[in-house]
Amino acid sequence: VAFGSSRRIFTTEERKRRNKLRRSTFLKNSVNKGQKLTLDLVEFKRPGDGIQPNHLESLLGKNFAKGLHAGKKLKFTDLEEN
């Protein structure tokens, strides 16, 4: 007989630690407004509080809404809706 819930509930500290260990999408190079997002423009680093790598495929080919510098952590708002 098992006790407890089958659903895992994370504490606030566990959530913070988990985000630090995940990865986000960062720019390798500077980009201009209107330039298309391609895989060769990005790299994945910690912390994981930005766009996670598993979301990238659906964003490839979208245009940048503004010029951005190398090393910037990407946000969904940095890309135009196509």
Side-chain angles (χ1 to χ4, degrees), residues 61-77:
K62 289 191 180 260
N63 296 330
F64 286 96
K66 56 189 170 188
L68 301 168
H69 59 84
K72 174 154 182 358
K73 186 184 335 174
L74 282 183
K75 300 179 200 171
F76 290 105
T77 56

Side-chain angles (χ1 to χ4, degrees), residues 10-65:
F10 292 99
T11 66
T12 303
E13 275 303 310
E14 287 173 317
R15 278 193 295 265
K16 286 180 187 177
R17 194 174 320 117
R18 193 167 133 188
N19 281 344
K20 287 181 183 178
L21 294 174
R22 287 185 174 178
R23 296 181 184 269
S24 293
T25 306
F26 287 78
L27 286 175
K28 277 196 239 181
N29 305 307
S30 296
V31 296
N32 298 315
K33 179 180 178 175
Q35 188 173 346
K36 289 198 181 299
L37 175 63
T38 59
L39 192 55
D40 61 320
L41 291 175
V42 298
E43 59 189 349
F44 307 106
K45 299 181 186 179
R46 291 186 174 109
D49 55 353
I51 297 176
Q52 294 179 358
N54 59 329
H55 294 292
L56 187 64
E57 190 173 323
S58 65
L59 301 174
L60 290 174
K62 289 191 180 260
N63 296 330
F64 286 96

